[in-house]
Amino acid sequence: MSHFDVDEYSLHTSPVGNDLGNEEDPVQDHRPRLLIMGLRRSGKSSIQKVVFHKMPPNETLFLESTNKVIKENITSFIDFQVWDFPGQIDYFDPAFDSNVIFGEYGALIFVIDAQDDYIEALSRLHQTVTRAFQVNPDLTFEVFIHKVDALSDEYKIDTQRDIQQRTTDDLVDVGLENVPLSFYLTSIYDHSIFEAFSKVIQKLVPQLPTLENLLNILCSNSGIEKAFLFDVNSKIYIATDSSPVDMQTYEICSDMIDVIIDISEIYGRTNSFHYIDEIYGDDQTQVETNGNAGNYGTTTDTANDASSLIKLTNGMVLCLRGVNRFLALVCLLRSDNFEKHGLINYNFGCFKQAIAEVFELKRHSAAERLRRERMRLSESVEDNVGG
Amino acid sequence: MSQEIHDGWVQQVDQETFMENYFAAQRDHIFRNVEVLIYVFDVESREIERDMHYYQDCLEAILANSKDAKIFCLIHKMDLVQEELRNKIFTERLNELKTRSEPLKITAFATSIWDETLYKAWSSIVHSLIPNVRQLESHLQNFATICEADEVVLFERTTFLVISHSTRIEHSDVHRFEKISNYMKQFKLSCGKFQAQFKSMEIRQANFAAFFDVLTANTYVMVIMSDSSVESAATQMNISVARKHFEKLEVTHMPR
């Protein structure tokens, strides 16, 4: 595992991304935030390392406990920031500025260790949610009932029901019945953590309905059973068509990305190193070093032109197409439908084009949105001073 | 340690009395017609003397019953040894084993289930078992030249161990085959969860294309192409033509 740059307790002003103009640099500080909170030893850092750094789950045993807030920029199709909080943080510490922490658009992920007695965690969750909701009612609240790999299926459901019941009851008691909480059963030892993160991230993608719609159109016109738009590095899916998600399908698609990346690491690297250096020069190395994942550079650059195909014995075909530097489309379809692969390829091309346009639009509106948010922020600061 | 019997090749030791009795009673039966003896040593074992005693016992039996057997020793659980000490310990053990195994020749590997070393060891074992390996290699070489491939690798179908390979363009990573064995096996397991197996795979990136396909009843082939002007269909066609050829080769030379 290589080491990654993390920024500890300071705002990140990195010159991330060579495709973003300099004039949009401030956007970096206003990227959506994922706040990961929970009691100590509940598995927050492990989650973050497994999802965003590809750390093998069994290595997370050796992680030291986090003792300060760790902020990290994730550069991807949407740039966002992950804040990993230490379990023992004190909300009443004057250094803990809830306005700054909860003020931004994003999601609050609260991790509960399901193998432990969770009563304390629940009261902490209650405290956190009430406080965060006061500051920013727009935050999405996500509860990860974590480390469920050791629990039986039945017990999992019971635990989830119990936690859900207690949490909502507590919130109703203080008159916050409208706070939207989502619950997920997660474990780093299987795909559930990626699935949960996928759903969390999807809520933060403003273009989600458009993306889903595009995927639906693609599926219905190409005879595709299921299509996922994956963030290649984290294997989070940011959108899928509207047919129900089957865990197995998601797993095989995500494993397909794994095997492709692994093989590409071996054969894509030797010849391409100099090539990449020439094209991107110093910018590229910067992206790699603060790009938050050890093998970020190669995989993302190759992701763009990637196209892969796996035929299975049960008559299904798995198909992957690179969409842009970060995203890949993974589809599952019947081999009979794959007969017309010229047509399908053409449709992929159209889809890729459409996605590019969607994100282009976002880039234009980002500056505009930023200006509005700044104004809103300064207003609220004035309000606070006034009040 | 466990006892395993692998396709009629008899493997190894322990569990004291059971083994002692078993060995005593069925010694001739076990050690007759042995092609390969794979003996696994625990590198962390505290009773080296006793391990050696058993080992020599086996060797004696081999010498008496099937003296042409190939002998492989795996110095196993290497992951438990500090990385800088591994080489030293392995050489020590190897030398001791060599002297103890006289007059038989042995091959030893340092292995661990936690990395690719085990694949490497098993691949060499499998490789040494194939009777017509030279011929296979030359055919593979021809195939690679005809395809204009950078590299062609032949894998055993169930284990994904490397049987043979032909490299036309040198690659810097010497451990790549073990890694690929490992990755493909992982993926095979994922396919299993999906109630399927994979038939073929094509990975195309900006600067290379990799093709995995079934070659014969017992093998998969991997073809690596770096010339992007070669259409996928051409390579697939080459593979399917080669299929018949290699099938023939296998039937005539591989004892079933």
Side-chain angles (χ1 to χ4, degrees):
Chain A
M1 246 1 256
S2 53
H3 287 269
F4 355 88
D5 280 5
V6 276
D7 207 29
E8 292 173 359
Y9 234 129
S10 69
L11 273 180
H12 211 297
T13 51
S14 58
V16 185
N18 38 17
D19 52 350
L20 285 171
N22 280 338
E23 76 278 7
E24 282 169 354
D25 242 352
V27 177
Q28 308 297 335
D29 295 337
H30 286 266
R31 40 178 90 194
R33 274 180 204 165
L34 291 180
L35 309 172
I36 307 183
M37 296 178 148
L39 292 187
R40 53 194 297 273
R41 311 225 48 84
S42 55
K44 303 174 291 298
S45 303
S46 303
I47 291 179
Q48 193 222 3
K49 290 279 188 264
V50 169
V51 176
F52 296 109
H53 298 292
K54 297 182 174 174
M55 183 182 270
N58 47 1
E59 275 177 32
T60 58
L61 283 176
F62 308 112
L63 283 180
E64 306 237 340
S65 79
T66 313
N67 52 17
K68 48 188 157 191
V69 182
I70 298 195
K71 299 175 187 179
E72 202 176 341
N73 287 347
I74 305 290
T75 312
S76 186
F77 66 100
I78 56 166
D79 295 334
F80 54 93
Q81 243 181 3
V82 177
W83 291 27
D84 186 8
F85 287 84
Q88 61 279 9
I89 197 163
D90 180 7
Y91 298 135
F92 300 100
D93 187 333
F96 184 90
D97 186 343
S98 358
N99 285 326
V100 170
I101 288 171
F102 298 127
E104 209 62 54
Y105 171 69
L108 191 157
I109 297 170
F110 195 90
V111 184
I112 296 176
D113 181 350
Q115 290 180 25
D116 204 13
D117 179 24
Y118 47 75
I119 299 303
E120 196 194 339
L122 289 184
S123 78
R124 190 56 176 244
L125 168 64
H126 179 73
Q127 230 179 343
T128 313
V129 171
T130 45
R131 203 176 165 106
F133 189 75
Q134 278 167 7
V135 178
N136 183 359
D138 293 332
L139 271 181
T140 54
F141 296 97
E142 321 282 351
V143 181
F144 284 11
I145 303 168
H146 195 51
K147 305 191 192 175
V148 292
D149 45 286
L151 307 183
S152 71
D153 282 350
E154 208 172 302
Y155 195 68
K156 272 185 210 173
I157 306 291
D158 285 349
T159 312
Q160 177 172 6
R161 194 177 303 135
D162 188 44
I163 289 180
Q164 214 160 337
Q165 190 64 44
R166 286 166 187 262
T167 323
T168 37
D169 284 356
D170 285 353
L171 286 175
V172 169
D173 287 348
V174 290
L176 289 174
E177 57 273 349
N178 294 327
V179 182
L181 282 172
S182 313
F183 295 84
Y184 308 86
L185 292 164
T186 59
S187 159
I188 51 171
Y189 293 97
D190 57 28
H191 290 71
S192 56
I193 190 69
F194 293 96
E195 165 118 51
F197 253 99
S198 302
K199 297 205 170 126
V200 170
I201 300 280
Q202 281 168 27
K203 290 187 191 165
L204 303 180
V205 180
Q207 304 90 339
L208 183 67
T210 319
L211 297 178
E212 279 177 349
N213 200 16
L214 285 171
L215 284 162
N216 280 335
I217 295 170
L218 177 74
C219 284
S220 61
N221 287 315
S222 317
I224 293 170
E225 305 263 311
K226 188 74 195 155
F228 291 100
L229 195 57
F230 267 96
D231 175 45
V232 175
N233 287 297
S234 56
K235 287 184 288 151
I236 287 172
Y237 67 91
I238 61 158
T240 179
D241 64 300
S242 51
S243 68
V245 178
D246 163 22
M247 194 65 179
Q248 279 182 337
T249 314
Y250 169 64
E251 279 179 25
I252 192 110
C253 291
S254 123
D255 289 336
M256 177 186 185
I257 294 183
D258 262 341
V259 72
I260 289 170
I261 287 179
D262 288 339
I263 304 270
S264 306
E265 287 269 298
I266 295 178
Y267 287 103
R269 178 160 277 179
T270 38
N271 306 330
S272 65
F273 246 168
H274 304 289
Y275 173 72
I276 288 172
D277 276 355
E278 271 166 34
I279 292 187
Y280 295 101
D282 287 337
D283 280 325
Q284 182 59 24
T285 31
Q286 265 174 352
V287 174
E288 275 184 63
T289 45
N290 70 31
N292 315 311
N295 34 24
Y296 216 74
T298 29
T299 53
T300 46
D301 282 307
T302 41
N304 201 359
D305 309 297
S307 109
S308 294
L309 191 71
I310 297 178
K311 289 186 178 157
L312 300 173
T313 46
N314 61 356
M316 299 303 266
V317 174
L318 282 164
C319 195
L320 177 143
R321 282 290 184 286
V323 172
N324 60 31
R325 285 181 57 210
F326 307 107
L327 299 180
L329 173 75
V330 185
C331 305
L332 182 74
L333 65 163
R334 294 196 179 283
S335 49
D336 324 346
N337 292 334
F338 194 70
E339 290 294 301
K340 298 170 279 182
H341 56 254
L343 174 77
I344 293 176
N345 269 340
Y346 178 77
N347 286 349
F348 280 147
C350 296
F351 178 77
K352 193 170 164 174
Q353 179 68 34
I355 296 282
E357 280 168 23
V358 169
F359 283 100
E360 188 58 36
L361 197 66
K362 173 208 156 194
R363 216 169 291 158
H364 283 305
S365 61
E368 182 64 25
R369 197 191 69 215
L370 171 72
R371 206 172 311 130
R372 279 205 307 273
E373 274 184 13
R374 279 248 169 99
M375 278 166 69
R376 200 193 69 193
L377 264 184
S378 58
E379 275 167 23
S380 65
V381 169
E382 277 161 26
D383 282 356
N384 281 348
V385 173
Chain B
M1 279 197 248
S2 66
Q3 194 227 353
E4 277 178 53
I5 297 182
H6 201 278
D7 285 339
W9 324 328
V10 178
Q11 208 190 354
Q12 66 109 359
V13 184
D14 215 69
Q15 278 159 10
E16 313 242 354
T17 41
F18 170 74
M19 285 311 289
E20 250 160 54
N21 292 338
Y22 189 61
F23 265 23
Q26 314 211 23
R27 191 175 165 109
D28 292 347
H29 174 68
I30 299 173
F31 290 100
R32 199 178 316 130
N33 293 328
V34 173
E35 285 226 34
V36 174
L37 173 81
I38 300 162
Y39 202 99
V40 184
F41 288 95
D42 180 350
V43 72
E44 290 271 271
S45 167
R46 287 191 207 96
E47 295 166 314
I48 297 185
E49 262 321 302
R50 214 187 53 188
D51 289 354
M52 284 297 175
H53 171 72
Y54 274 120
Y55 172 65
Q56 284 183 310
D57 227 27
C58 280
L59 283 192
E60 269 167 38
I62 287 279
L63 207 54
N65 294 298
S66 32
K67 58 180 182 323
D68 293 329
K70 296 193 175 77
I71 295 162
F72 294 95
C73 297
L74 306 186
I75 315 289
H76 200 48
K77 306 194 190 173
M78 265 305 190
D79 52 292
L80 298 174
V81 178
Q82 283 176 36
E83 212 160 341
E84 27 327 335
L85 293 177
R86 283 180 198 168
N87 262 335
K88 187 172 150 272
I89 290 187
F90 177 67
T91 345
E92 271 174 29
R93 294 287 168 91
L94 177 63
N95 290 335
E96 182 170 6
L97 282 173
K98 271 186 175 156
T99 46
R100 296 241 189 183
S101 311
E102 296 287 346
L104 293 163
K105 291 266 171 292
I106 62 155
T107 316
F109 299 97
T111 58
S112 153
I113 54 166
W114 300 106
D115 55 33
E116 299 94 9
T117 51
L118 195 61
Y119 283 94
K120 170 129 187 134
W122 274 99
S123 284
S124 340
I125 294 170
V126 169
H127 190 247
S128 75
L129 276 178
I130 299 165
N132 57 337
V133 79
R134 292 269 162 268
Q135 196 190 2
L136 199 62
E137 259 163 21
S138 74
H139 283 270
L140 219 50
Q141 184 80 47
N142 284 344
F143 176 56
T145 320
I146 293 166
C147 289
E148 296 178 20
D150 290 14
E151 187 156 71
V152 175
V153 188
L154 202 62
F155 295 95
E156 199 277 325
R157 191 151 170 187
T158 44
T159 56
F160 265 105
L161 294 170
V162 176
I163 296 174
S164 181
H165 71 95
S166 160
T167 304
R168 291 175 71 232
I169 294 178
E170 284 305 317
H171 194 281
S172 56
D173 186 352
V174 288
H175 298 296
R176 63 189 180 283
F177 300 136
E178 293 93 83
K179 287 184 189 161
I180 293 168
S181 292
N182 203 354
Y183 299 148
M184 296 312 284
K185 217 161 163 190
Q186 292 290 335
F187 188 68
K188 205 181 117 173
L189 288 176
S190 328
C191 290
K193 275 192 248 165
F194 194 65
Q195 271 108 46
Q197 285 187 332
F198 80 86
K199 238 184 339 199
S200 68
M201 185 186 289
E202 176 193 335
I203 298 172
R204 188 171 273 282
Q205 300 280 15
N207 49 8
F208 84 101
F211 299 84
F212 281 86
D213 216 327
V214 174
L215 192 66
T216 66
N218 300 316
T219 53
Y220 272 105
V221 69
M222 178 181 82
V223 180
I224 304 291
M225 308 282 295
S226 59
D227 184 349
S228 57
S229 66
V230 178
E231 289 288 331
S232 305
T235 310
Q236 275 157 355
M237 185 59 100
N238 282 336
I239 294 176
S240 82
V241 172
R243 206 168 276 151
K244 281 183 216 132
H245 183 71
F246 280 91
E247 196 80 67
K248 236 187 290 168
L249 207 64
E250 194 168 282
V251 171
T252 44
H253 291 278
M254 280 194 177
R256 277 273 154 161

